[in-house]
Amino acid sequence: MPEQPDPELRPLSYWPFVLPALVVVLAVIVFPWVFTIWMSMQEWKVGSPTTFVGLANYLRMPKDPRFVEAVWHTLVYTALSVILPLIFGTFAAVVFHQKFPLRGFLRGVFIMPMMATPVAIALVWTMMFHPQLGVLNYLLSLIGLPPQLWVFDPGTVIPSLVLVETWQWTPLVMLIVLGGLAALPTEPYESALIDGASFWQMFRYITWPLITPFLFIAAMIRLIDALKSFDIIFAITQGGPGNASETINIYLYSVAFVYYDVGYGSAIALVFFVLIVMLAAVMLYFRQRMHWNEAGGGA
Amino acid sequence: MSLRQILNKIALAICVFLIVSPAIFFFLWMLSLSVKYEIDNASYPPVFIPDRFAWENYVQVITSNRFATYFVNTLIVTGSATLAALLVGVPAGYGIARMQAHRSAVVILIARITPGLSYLIPLFLLFQWLGLLGTLVPQIIIHLVVTVPIVIWIMIGYFETTPL
């Protein structure tokens, strides 16, 4: 990162450029934050006056079984919806990097899920998941598998939602990795071909190390988006059946806008934010370590 | 050698089919649902191409006068939000890039990470206080939460590589 110049040297002409953005950021980003922190320390049911309760809202969380469960659901949901799109996305990128007829068109078709409206997608998936009339169970019956309850069974609801999430966001990973593949040098491949390396060896020892930085970017974006995932879960199951697919975001919504417990909801929002920042930081830490290993190991 | 090439081509074709088929199947099924009558949509085994097409589904969408309102609203919100984000974000990106004020860029990253729901209550109260509820203005402003940081982020990268 370049050295920051002395603030005193910053000319006055700097401010007209930044001032409008500063006002917008203060009003729509910083103000909500400060207000949320203030609310999180109030006992505030909508319609009644607020009372200051200090950290009571935060102390409530570990004793709230629904919140604890929501944390686990969020972690499972996030882990699956980071890993699966990464695997399929990398595979798709390697395939789409080959030359074959209609490649441009098929790439376009492949990224269509990413561009579609989440609620419209959720509606169609809900119909496809239907245990009696859904087309997915029909497809399963064609290959001789028993029908599933999909989102109507607490045991399969999270994997089913991950299926939708994976279907929608694998294209994003594919695009990022494809960008990485396109930027790769060709010399290592040429010399590997001369040495008689197999396709798998070339992938394992040339492609894989060279695209890991891109995989990290993709994993980071996916991690943040999967943690915050709301529209697909809400539109398909609303956290159900029971609360089997209730993630922190969905629970937060229920607390603040169904039970109107704004103070507790704000506290959950803050804890959620800290969780996201922590997980992102852990990923960045691993990335730094990997770089250090590459440099230190001399591989 | 040529046999191996043919095998490679077949393998590639199978891979491409496996990758693209979920997306193709989904959108074809969506299309099929949209031109079927309720009775065909609720039949089992599912009907892919119905005997009679329910084109009036589309006519209904377009002729209901709410649709026109929604469509115009969407255009207004999208257009104004994009324009406002560019008006605010491009100069800011220029200022930050020229002055190398990289610390201000961190705020933008945090805005990207924040769960959207946590903006809801404060901004709702803010708009209520400003008397803007029931208009399209809150919707436009809420888009700025997401778009301004992205515009600034992209423009910083652009202006940093632009020679003076």
Side-chain angles (χ1 to χ4, degrees), chain A residues 7-291:
Chain A
E8 278 174 335
L9 294 176
R10 199 168 280 174
L12 275 173
S13 62
Y14 166 75
W15 292 107
F17 286 107
V18 182
L19 202 62
L22 200 65
V23 171
V24 169
V25 167
L26 281 178
V28 301
I29 295 171
V30 177
F31 159 73
W33 266 111
V34 176
F35 198 76
T36 306
I37 294 171
W38 178 79
M39 282 190 299
S40 75
M41 288 185 282
Q42 309 284 325
E43 166 82 45
W44 182 4
K45 302 254 158 111
V46 169
S48 49
T50 65
T51 39
F52 181 79
V53 291
L55 296 176
N57 281 328
Y58 292 93
L59 298 176
R60 227 173 109 186
M61 265 176 255
K63 283 178 261 163
D64 179 357
R66 250 180 102 178
F67 175 77
V68 176
E69 260 185 67
V71 172
W72 280 115
H73 294 155
T74 308
L75 292 178
V76 173
Y77 182 87
T78 304
L80 288 173
S81 14
V82 171
I83 293 167
L84 293 178
L86 273 184
I87 294 171
F88 294 132
T90 311
F91 176 67
V94 171
V95 170
F96 276 124
H97 193 55
Q98 319 294 317
K99 286 197 172 56
F100 54 84
L102 284 180
R103 182 174 70 161
F105 170 74
L106 290 171
R107 261 187 206 167
V109 170
F110 183 68
I111 63 172
M112 266 166 66
M114 205 175 87
M115 301 184 290
T117 330
V119 177
I121 287 175
L123 194 72
V124 177
W125 275 102
T126 312
M127 288 192 248
M128 292 174 40
F129 280 139
H130 194 285
Q132 275 93 45
L133 307 171
V135 70
L136 288 183
N137 275 346
Y138 174 72
L139 291 180
L140 285 187
S141 75
L142 286 186
I143 50 172
L145 290 173
Q148 302 292 319
L149 284 174
W150 303 105
V151 291
F152 297 92
D153 181 325
T156 53
V157 59
I158 289 184
S160 303
L161 291 171
V162 168
L163 175 71
V164 181
E165 180 99 12
T166 306
W167 174 84
Q168 195 183 7
W169 292 111
T170 296
L172 178 79
V173 178
M174 189 279 282
L175 284 180
I176 295 172
V177 177
L178 195 65
L181 287 175
L184 293 188
T186 53
E187 291 89 352
Y189 291 95
E190 281 157 13
S191 60
L193 266 182
I194 292 167
D195 293 344
S198 73
F199 183 78
W200 171 248
Q201 281 174 321
M202 285 203 282
F203 178 79
R204 171 67 189 82
Y205 295 104
I206 305 175
T207 312
W208 179 254
L210 288 174
I211 59 166
T212 31
F214 295 92
L215 285 176
F216 258 112
I217 296 172
M220 197 76 171
I221 296 176
R222 218 55 284 291
L223 176 83
I224 292 169
D225 286 351
L227 280 167
K228 294 200 301 179
S229 178
F230 181 81
D231 27 29
I232 284 179
I233 305 177
F234 192 77
I236 296 182
T237 68
Q238 275 139 354
N243 58 352
S245 63
E246 194 169 64
T247 59
I248 303 178
N249 225 355
I250 304 279
Y251 184 51
L252 164 62
Y253 177 85
S254 300
V255 168
F257 301 105
V258 178
Y259 310 131
Y260 292 117
D261 194 345
V262 176
Y264 188 43
S266 301
I268 294 177
L270 281 170
V271 168
F272 187 31
F273 175 74
V274 171
L275 180 79
I276 298 175
V277 171
M278 267 166 43
L279 286 175
V282 167
M283 285 209 50
L284 279 177
Y285 169 77
F286 275 116
R287 190 190 145 152
Q288 300 282 7
R289 258 185 47 151
M290 296 259 304
H291 272 279

Side-chain angles (χ1 to χ4, degrees), chain A residues 292-299:
Chain A
W292 183 79
N293 275 348
E294 272 164 31

Side-chain angles (χ1 to χ4, degrees), chain B residues 12-35:
Chain B
L12 183 66
I14 292 172
C15 287
V16 171
F17 174 77
L18 283 178
I19 290 167
V20 183
S21 56
I24 290 183
F25 171 74
F26 180 89
F27 286 104
L28 285 182
W29 184 239
M30 202 167 164
L31 189 70
S32 160
L33 283 172
S34 77
V35 294

Side-chain angles (χ1 to χ4, degrees), chain B residues 11-142:
Chain B
L12 183 66
I14 292 172
C15 287
V16 171
F17 174 77
L18 283 178
I19 290 167
V20 183
S21 56
I24 290 183
F25 171 74
F26 180 89
F27 286 104
L28 285 182
W29 184 239
M30 202 167 164
L31 189 70
S32 160
L33 283 172
S34 77
V35 294
K36 283 189 292 194
Y37 288 98
E38 271 316 298
I39 186 125
D40 285 329
N41 274 334
S43 68
Y44 192 90
V47 183
F48 279 87
I49 301 168
D51 296 331
R52 39 198 192 119
F53 288 86
W55 298 115
E56 66 245 44
N57 289 347
Y58 283 91
V59 178
Q60 243 175 41
V61 168
I62 292 163
T63 51
S64 69
N65 49 11
R66 302 300 282 162
F67 181 76
T69 318
Y70 298 152
F71 190 71
V72 171
N73 283 351
T74 308
L75 284 186
I76 293 174
V77 171
T78 317
S80 330
T82 312
L83 201 67
L86 288 177
L87 279 177
V88 169
V90 173
Y94 181 79
I96 293 174
R98 273 286 157 270
M99 293 306 126
Q100 303 183 341
H102 285 278
R103 257 170 251 175
S104 37
V106 175
V107 180
I108 292 157
L109 196 66
I110 289 175
R112 173 93 182 81
I113 293 177
T114 311
L117 280 180
S118 55
Y119 294 114
L120 214 62
I121 305 164
L123 288 182
F124 179 81
L125 292 172
L126 181 71
F127 293 136
Q128 199 174 37
W129 179 62
L130 292 173
L132 290 172
L133 292 182
T135 67
L136 289 176
V137 179
Q139 281 207 49
I140 297 167
I141 295 178
I142 278 175

